[in-house]
Amino acid sequence: MQYFPLFVDTSGLKVLLIGAGEVASRKLDLLTRTEADIKVIASDISAEVQAYADSGRISLVMRSATADDIEAVDLVYLATSDETLNGELAGVAKSRGIWVNVVDSPALCRFITPSIVDRGRLQIAISTAGAAPVFARELRSRLESWLPGSLTALFDFVAERRQEVQQRLPAFKQRKLFWEQFFKTNGDKFDAQTQVHYDNAFQNLSMGGEILLLDDETQVSLLPIAAMPLLQRLDHIFTVEELPFELNELLRRDASRAPLPPLSELAMQFEKGKRCLIFTDTAKLAQLKAHFPMAKHLKAGSL
């Protein structure tokens, strides 16, 4: 993984953009949605950049940039039409430990800006590490059509009620079950029923455990789509065989991984309301199915 995705708190972030043409204005379309302090230096200014300056959203300096400008900032975007100048200023930024992005020159970048799906508090970043930006845009267009605009209001609603949920449900397990129940009934909508689903979720907190079984002969790629949410809400993953990379990528990252414990301990985890996956060979799986008849056997094409 050459590029590691990060979400940066932009409060008080100092961003310098050098260049103010069409490319720079596209960068500003995104940057001005943040809380960053943005400064633009350029001798030729597009109408869009001038409009941002007139509104007071950015500070604008109308002159050519120099190496002395690459100082006391957190991020630098270089978007001039002079490739030589871009390269020189990128070198200055790197030598001073300042992260720099040179538009359309990945080799000179310390960071890149992904394609972004913006739903307020919900942000989805898509990157192909500069290899296929056209495909990243295509994928973004699919997500834009799939994710409703009401998600912005929905996550504002959720954020406003997180403190109330913490007060009413002090145990983490209870809160997790509450939000699972809420999103299960409400889905991705925000409408008149959202408050109703929120209120009802407090009354439907099932603490029952869950045991999922998966044998080492089942191809992970053939698991049904319905299995994916189950894998993402696990607390423990127990294994007899080595966990395949493809399966590990589908599992909740903060779930614990451990060798298969005694059956009595598994039963205790289930009684405590824990959600467990057991990955094992077919012979052991048959034994587990007999001991835990309530377990779900994940198979190719069905649950």
Side-chain angles (χ1 to χ4, degrees):
M1 185 187 296
Q2 180 182 2
Y3 294 98
F4 186 80
L6 296 171
F7 286 89
V8 179
D9 184 356
T10 61
S11 303
L13 195 73
K14 295 185 181 301
V15 178
L16 173 63
L17 173 60
I18 296 177
E22 181 181 352
V23 174
S25 68
R26 291 201 300 268
K27 291 294 181 187
L28 282 177
D29 287 342
L30 279 176
L31 289 171
T32 53
R33 298 183 192 180
T34 72
E35 299 178 15
D37 179 7
I38 305 169
K39 180 179 181 180
V40 178
I41 300 177
S43 52
D44 296 319
I45 310 298
S46 69
E48 292 81 5
V49 174
Q50 186 63 58
Y52 283 120
D54 292 342
S55 69
R57 179 61 189 88
I58 66 171
S59 60
L60 178 61
V61 179
M62 296 184 63
R63 61 169 171 78
S64 297
T66 68
D68 292 338
D69 294 314
I70 313 294
E71 192 69 55
V73 294
D74 300 302
L75 298 178
V76 175
Y77 282 90
L78 299 174
T80 79
S81 57
D82 187 335
E83 294 184 4
T84 301
L85 177 62
N86 286 343
E88 292 175 354
L89 295 179
V92 171
K94 290 180 179 179
S95 68
R96 295 176 180 174
I98 299 172
W99 285 25
V100 61
N101 175 281
V102 183
V103 177
D104 295 330
S105 299
L108 297 177
C109 294
R110 186 67 178 87
F111 72 97
I112 59 176
T113 303
S115 184
I116 297 173
V117 178
D118 183 2
R119 292 294 185 274
R121 297 174 189 272
L122 175 64
Q123 300 285 320
I124 300 175
I126 307 161
S127 172
T128 61
V134 172
F135 181 79
R137 289 195 293 271
E138 169 64 21
L139 185 55
R140 177 195 164 194
S141 69
R142 297 180 198 176
L143 291 170
E144 289 281 6
S145 64
W146 178 54
L147 296 171
S150 62
L151 282 172
T152 300
L154 174 62
F155 282 98
D156 284 343
F157 174 90
V158 168
E160 291 168 0
R161 286 156 180 79
R162 285 191 65 84
Q163 186 173 0
E164 178 188 1
V165 173
Q166 290 174 345
Q167 292 172 347
R168 295 180 64 175
L169 303 173
F172 171 76
K173 176 70 174 180
Q174 290 178 312
R175 295 197 297 272
K176 185 174 72 168
L177 291 170
F178 169 85
W179 288 118
E180 287 176 357
Q181 178 65 26
F182 169 74
F183 284 110
K184 180 180 179 180
T185 56
N186 185 80
D188 57 13
K189 306 180 298 297
F190 180 76
D191 54 26
Q193 292 301 305
T194 298
Q195 181 67 49
V196 175
H197 295 315
Y198 172 82
D199 294 334
N200 290 342
F202 286 104
Q203 312 304 320
N204 297 293
L205 299 181
S206 172
M207 298 294 287
E210 191 170 44
I211 296 178
L212 306 180
L213 304 175
L214 180 62
D215 65 78
D216 58 2
E217 295 182 5
T218 298
Q219 295 184 42
V220 176
S221 61
L222 297 181
L223 288 175
I225 293 177
M228 301 304 116
L230 301 179
L231 297 177
Q232 276 294 306
R233 66 188 195 187
L234 293 167
D235 300 303
H236 304 289
I237 294 95
F238 299 119
T239 61
V240 173
E241 304 292 318
E242 182 179 355
L243 203 63
F245 175 81
E246 295 81 2
L247 175 59
N248 194 50
E249 287 295 287
L250 297 178
L251 300 173
R252 182 177 156 209
R253 297 194 186 279
D254 56 351
S256 68
R257 274 81 166 163
L260 183 65
L263 298 186
S264 58
E265 184 176 333
L266 276 174
M268 185 168 54
Q269 294 288 356
F270 177 78
E271 291 170 2
K272 288 181 177 180
K274 298 296 184 181
R275 294 164 175 169
C276 309
L277 170 71
I278 303 172
F279 179 74
T280 184
D281 56 66
T282 53
K284 185 66 175 178
L285 186 137
Q287 177 188 353
L288 290 166
K289 287 177 68 174
H291 196 86
F292 299 107
M294 72 299 224
K296 294 180 181 177
H297 183 188
L298 302 183
K299 302 177 182 179
S302 65
L303 288 178

